[in-house]
Amino acid sequence: MQLTPHFALAEFTRSAKAAQLRLDNTPTGKALENLRRTAEILERVRAHLGVPIIITSGYRGPVLNKAVGGATSSDHLQGLAADVIAPKFGAPYDVAKALAPHIDALGIGQIIYEVSGSTHWVHLSVRVPEK
């Protein structure tokens, strides 16, 4: 199912861990609606950067989220977030730095530059964090 011109539902639900554990990671209801909103933001991010972006982690159902060690309050659980990279633009740090001044115009609620070992990515959320 295509959510927006450049983003399909499969990109948000694909997970090596889910495949390994044979977990169904199909969103329903509100999470699917939220994924459409998240995909719309990713379209704006893609246009702003001028290059394709790759979703490395999108929707995570509760069992998958626990299996990957995700926070129990993770926006991924609700379809409100995606972790992305844009290799044709540059390193994830450069992507985060380029997006940060434009969060309001792009409709991004939160940007986090994340690192785990030697892997780096940008977490983009639709939800604006509470202060």
Side-chain angles (χ1 to χ4, degrees):
M1 168 193 296
Q2 201 67 27
L3 299 175
T4 62
H6 296 102
F7 297 100
L9 178 60
E11 294 176 82
F12 284 94
T13 59
R14 141 181 88 223
S15 165
K17 184 60 112 176
Q20 174 192 0
L21 298 175
R22 296 186 178 155
L23 300 174
D24 181 7
N25 195 41
T26 305
T28 58
K30 187 65 174 170
L32 185 55
E33 289 176 37
N34 289 340
L35 284 170
R36 288 185 196 283
R37 288 179 46 213
T38 303
E40 289 167 4
I41 285 178
L42 294 186
E43 286 288 350
R44 291 193 290 273
V45 167
R46 184 183 195 277
H48 179 78
L49 296 175
V51 298
I53 59 176
I54 299 166
I55 299 168
T56 60
S57 182
Y59 173 76
R60 296 192 300 245
V63 177
L64 176 58
N65 192 61
K66 185 174 182 178
V68 300
T72 57
S73 61
S74 173
D75 288 344
H76 290 276
L77 286 162
Q78 300 171 46
L80 293 171
D83 297 338
V84 302
I85 58 172
K88 290 184 179 181
F89 184 85
Y93 179 80
D94 297 325
V95 171
K97 195 172 160 183
L99 296 175
H102 306 283
I103 60 171
D104 291 334
L106 295 170
I108 299 169
Q110 183 180 50
I111 297 174
I112 304 172
Y113 169 66
E114 296 185 311
V115 178
S116 178
S118 63
T119 306
H120 305 234
W121 65 91
V122 180
H123 171 90
L124 299 174
S125 178
V126 173
R127 186 184 60 81
V128 177
E130 295 177 17
K131 295 183 182 193

